[in-house]
Amino acid sequence: MLTNNVERILIDEEKLMNRIREMGRQITEDYRGKDLVLICILKGAVIFASDLAREIKLPLAMDFMAVSSYGSSTKSSGVVRILKDLDQEIEGRHVLIVEDIVDSGLTLHYLTENLMTRKPASLKICTCLDKPERRVTPVKIDYVGFNIPDEFVIGYGLDYAEEYRNLPFIGVLSKDAYKK
Ligand code: IMP
Ligand code: MG
């Protein structure tokens, strides 16, 4: 079964949806009248971004970027590569990066440096989850869904070796599930 390797549920569907509704309300207030571009970081943020976008009651554009910092392991390599770049220009526009989780911070550190060179009007970060204990590089996060402890989580877009993204909740991966 899909849920066999879930040790426990950390954030259930209802809690996720309630928090995302709140975040959407806040973002709606903050970006009213602005040319907003949501940048969804593939693949992990795709489910969060889809739900969040529908809670932002403003005209907006969505674009996608794919970067790699993880292979099939649970540790960051520290190397960030752009696998897919934006389709749209962001110069002069208000950009909000939408991430699934901030762990070491390496991915977002790289991304913000990269996107700033394109001269957006503003650049902010929104993440569903944050593991502050794990930070290696400081990053300023503007919107955080939930702070979580240092455990490897799956579901709601987050994978382990490309599986479990379709779980509707955030769960802790059980220790026996790690492939050696
Ligand atoms: P960072 O560069 O270390 O901050 O890593 C960010 C990326 O690592 C996230 O966008 C996720 O794709 C992945 N990641 C970090 N922690 C977890 C986790 O607990 N479960 C699944 N993926 C994770
Ligand atoms: Mg990610």
Side-chain angles (χ1 to χ4, degrees):
M1 245 175 74
L2 179 63
T3 52
N4 274 357
N5 291 323
V6 178
E7 192 181 280
R8 65 176 201 286
I9 296 179
L10 202 61
I11 307 164
D12 67 24
E13 210 172 340
E14 199 192 335
K15 254 181 105 178
L16 276 169
M17 292 314 143
N18 287 337
R19 181 69 187 116
I20 290 164
R21 220 165 285 131
E22 283 175 8
M23 295 172 90
R25 242 179 265 134
Q26 183 68 55
I27 293 167
T28 302
E29 279 178 33
D30 296 351
Y31 286 89
R32 203 177 296 285
K34 293 180 174 163
D35 179 12
L36 172 60
V37 187
L38 295 185
I39 299 184
C40 169
I41 309 303
L42 299 171
K43 299 174 227 173
V46 78
I47 294 180
F48 172 54
S50 321
D51 284 337
L52 181 69
R54 283 176 288 186
E55 297 298 336
I56 302 173
K57 311 297 181 188
L58 298 172
L60 57 79
M62 290 182 82
D63 208 335
F64 299 85
M65 246 178 132
V67 294
S68 79
S69 62
Y70 273 81
S72 291
S73 81
T74 55
K75 290 264 154 62
S76 177
S77 62
V79 178
V80 181
R81 274 192 308 144
I82 295 186
L83 306 176
K84 185 222 167 287
D85 208 338
L86 299 177
D87 296 330
Q88 301 169 44
E89 300 290 333
I90 57 166
E91 185 171 346
R93 306 175 76 187
H94 293 273
V95 172
L96 183 60
I97 299 176
V98 181
E99 250 295 25
D100 51 358
I101 187 166
V102 186
D103 187 42
S104 69
L106 291 166
T107 308
L108 277 175
H109 176 77
Y110 172 84
L111 272 175
T112 49
E113 299 260 290
N114 181 294
L115 294 175
M116 278 312 282
T117 67
R118 308 182 198 191
K119 302 187 168 49
S122 70
L123 179 62
K124 287 190 177 183
I125 295 172
C126 175
T127 187
C128 184
L129 305 174
D130 186 11
K131 282 187 201 171
E133 283 170 55
R134 301 257 308 168
R135 204 70 90 252
V136 172
T137 311
V139 273
K140 185 178 165 285
I141 308 175
D142 302 282
Y143 305 94
V144 179
F146 301 88
N147 281 316
I148 62 163
D150 180 12
E151 289 183 284
F152 196 82
V153 292
I154 50 172
Y156 199 63
L158 291 146
D159 73 307
Y160 173 63
E162 293 299 329
E163 278 181 64
Y164 311 108
R165 294 192 198 274
N166 58 327
L167 290 173
F169 52 80
I170 305 281
V172 175
L173 182 68
S174 75
K175 298 286 175 290
D176 351 305
Y178 291 89
K179 289 167 192 159
K180 309 250 154 55

